[in-house]
Amino acid sequence: MSKVNLDILVEHKADGKVLPKMILWPDGRKFEIDRVLDVRKAPALKAGGIGTRYLCRICGQERAIFEVRGLWFVEV
């Protein structure tokens, strides 16, 4: 399994959407999410399981973060 569990600051919209706003790495680093590009149900290819994949632009690069039953992670 190749994943890192994360703390994520999220915005809960009135229409029920959840938008991740900032990633908090276990070592204390923080990365603001510039933009959410795509949201869909998708498998985590390295870590396994199916959850919600958020394709995000972070510091000018595209990265996928996953949410499964309220837990957030990124594949490494």
Side-chain angles (χ1 to χ4, degrees), residues 43-63:
L45 299 177
K46 295 179 185 177
I50 295 178
T52 304
R53 182 189 73 188
Y54 293 81
L55 183 61
C56 302
R57 181 169 296 126
I58 304 165
C59 298
Q61 297 183 9
E62 289 185 14
R63 296 285 185 242

Side-chain angles (χ1 to χ4, degrees), residues 10-20 36 39 52 54 72:
V10 298
E11 179 181 356
H12 294 270
K13 305 293 263 180
D15 63 4
K17 291 181 183 175
V18 175
L19 294 175
V36 176
V39 179
T52 304
Y54 293 81
W72 293 84

Side-chain angles (χ1 to χ4, degrees), residues 22-40:
M22 183 177 288
I23 294 174
L24 308 168
W25 280 93
D27 65 5
R29 292 180 292 159
K30 298 176 183 180
F31 295 95
E32 187 172 336
I33 295 171
D34 303 323
R35 186 169 180 203
V36 176
L37 304 170
D38 184 53
V39 179
R40 68 178 65 197

